[in-house]
Amino acid sequence: MPHIRNRVVFRISLAGAVLMSVAPAAEAARRYGLAGNVLIEDADDVFMYPQLATKYARSVGFDYGVGKSSGSATLLMGDAYRAWGVALHRGDAMTPWKGSPDGDLHLMDGYGSGFGAVSPAVQDPAIPAVGGGGGGGENLGGDPTGGDPTGGDPAVTDPTLDAANQGQTAAGLGATPKTLIDLFYASADPGKSGWGLRVTLGTDKTFNDPKASGAKENADAEHFAAVTFGYGDHENEFEYDGAATLLVDMGSSTTNGKETMSSTRFDLTVNARGSMPLAGEKDTRLGLLAQARYGTTTIEPKGAGKNAADDVRLLAGAGPVVKVAERVTVAGYATLGVTRQTHDPDSKAPGDLDGRLAFLFPGFNIATEIKLTEWMMFRSGAEYTYTWQTQDVGKAPGGSVDSNRADSFVWNTGVGFKFGDLVLDGALSHQFLTEGPDFIGGDSPLFAMVSANAKF
């Protein structure tokens, strides 16, 4: 049992340390079509920067996945001064380090990360693929293609990588917390400054009492709370939004009436996005991105040494944002990043420390949105990342040092339609674009995802 838990805590902590959605849950269809570019503003920004809720007040939005249980919904009330709202079935509450907020649409793998994808450092081939639980409580791991109806992307079809990407279970126990509450509140001075708050609570528990003579209960439980506080200033030439998220997760496991294991996880993530004018440029601004994260996970088996991992992550990006007469928006940025993780599988066993280091150098994201008519939009984006990865395991003579290089490229495209106060966005299936529909010999759905947003 401790050996299995060691594998799980390492997988979870690593996923949190070095992934910025290199292939995980998809986002709303508009940003999906932009390959996750976060310098182009989107309504999904409220999940990372809750102070922006006043900008999208009195709106209702839906993200439709490939099945009836895949998707999310958001309702924002209020006005430009104060706003409040609720989200359903969001899967990003336990992964605040993701630069692009995502919903619980994990069936659409193979899309851009939006900000600084850092692939896992060298993987231990002995670690099996393990499913994780997202905020929506669905099983997210195990399928080599991620369940993508288009067949998955070659860059993300390794099952161990897919499991790492989707491993959002915070404490590594049997329970997978379901989100109970996901609420927003924001206050703003329109056109100047504003602040916002997002509060998310989740819990899950499995319990069994055999009711047999001498038998006692067995249970797994896990509970989490995530709080995001954001502040933005759009009054001066340098405009910015920033937010900090604190995540606390507690878990426990009980066998035959006795607690056999407990776990804790803490994450503190700070995200920032800003822009400033460029000298001599009328329609171009310099966009800036930054992120810092510290996370720690500890599993304590009763009567055994602690299994602990912690990680530090730093990311930064910059690039131009061009808006031409409200018809064409182009944004591109380069990213650099570094992640360092240490893992001690047994505090009572010397010489088994595992260290992993990953450098993102370089990363690029380019996207555009073009207004074809007053009611139709076209958008597309692409992202490339190159990572340098090292793993140092244990001491001699049984230890080892390994390193490798990894790259990833992905593109996406989509369309949008505006009908009065209703906007419909569709992220086109990769295979539909390259193979076409059935009547010309292809065999692919038109859309990988569809979103709808209405103002009222």
Side-chain angles (χ1 to χ4, degrees), residues 108-343:
M108 263 63 69
D109 283 345
Y111 75 108
S113 74
F115 177 33
V118 182
S119 300
V122 180
Q123 290 293 308
D124 180 357
I127 300 177
V130 288
E138 297 186 32
N139 180 19
L140 305 186
D143 182 355
T145 67
D148 185 351
T150 67
D153 186 282
V156 298
T157 53
D158 174 59
T160 59
L161 176 59
D162 182 61
N165 292 336
Q166 309 295 0
Q168 297 178 15
T169 301
L173 301 177
T176 55
K178 282 83 172 174
T179 300
L180 289 175
I181 297 172
D182 199 349
L183 303 175
F184 299 87
Y185 181 82
S187 177
D189 186 354
K192 296 182 179 181
S193 62
W195 63 271
L197 191 67
R198 178 188 180 189
V199 177
T200 308
L201 303 176
T203 184
D204 198 15
K205 184 174 183 178
T206 61
F207 178 86
N208 173 256
D209 184 350
K211 291 187 177 181
S213 177
K216 298 183 179 180
E217 71 274 7
N218 301 290
D220 281 330
E222 191 171 339
H223 320 282
F224 77 90
V227 178
T228 299
F229 176 80
Y231 178 83
D233 187 341
H234 298 265
E235 184 176 8
N236 302 305
E237 287 190 342
F238 176 60
E239 302 179 2
Y240 68 88
D241 283 292
T245 300
L246 177 63
L247 172 71
V248 178
D249 182 279
M250 311 293 288
S252 64
S253 182
T254 301
T255 303
N256 197 25
K258 295 183 179 181
E259 185 178 274
T260 58
M261 191 177 303
S262 62
S263 65
T264 57
R265 170 184 161 189
F266 301 95
D267 282 298
L268 177 61
T269 304
V270 178
N271 289 294
R273 178 181 68 181
S275 68
M276 57 189 299
L278 290 174
E281 297 288 341
K282 293 183 179 180
D283 56 9
T284 303
R285 296 176 66 87
L286 176 64
L288 302 171
L289 300 166
Q291 183 188 86
R293 173 183 181 259
Y294 174 75
T296 178
T297 302
T298 302
I299 290 182
E300 298 186 54
K302 301 303 180 182
K306 294 182 181 179
N307 183 345
D310 63 5
D311 48 79
V312 176
R313 172 194 183 90
L314 300 172
L315 287 164
V321 180
V322 185
K323 294 184 179 181
V324 182
E326 301 300 325
R327 294 184 301 104
V328 179
T329 301
V330 177
Y333 51 89
T335 51
L336 302 174
V338 59
T339 292
R340 172 65 179 176
Q341 183 203 50
T342 58
H343 173 225

Side-chain angles (χ1 to χ4, degrees), residues 32 66 108 147-152 411-413 427-449:
Y32 183 104
V66 295
M108 263 63 69
D148 185 351
T150 67
W411 59 265
N412 288 304
T413 190
L428 296 174
S429 163
H430 292 122
Q431 284 182 297
F432 177 84
L433 283 172
T434 57
E435 298 179 11
D438 286 337
F439 72 87
I440 61 172
D443 188 18
S444 173
L446 174 59
F447 294 111
M449 184 189 338

Side-chain angles (χ1 to χ4, degrees), residues 24-28 63-65 70-72 103-109 449:
E27 301 167 35
D63 299 328
Y64 309 111
S70 178
S72 63
D104 197 20
L105 300 176
H106 57 272
L107 298 178
M108 263 63 69
D109 283 345
M449 184 189 338

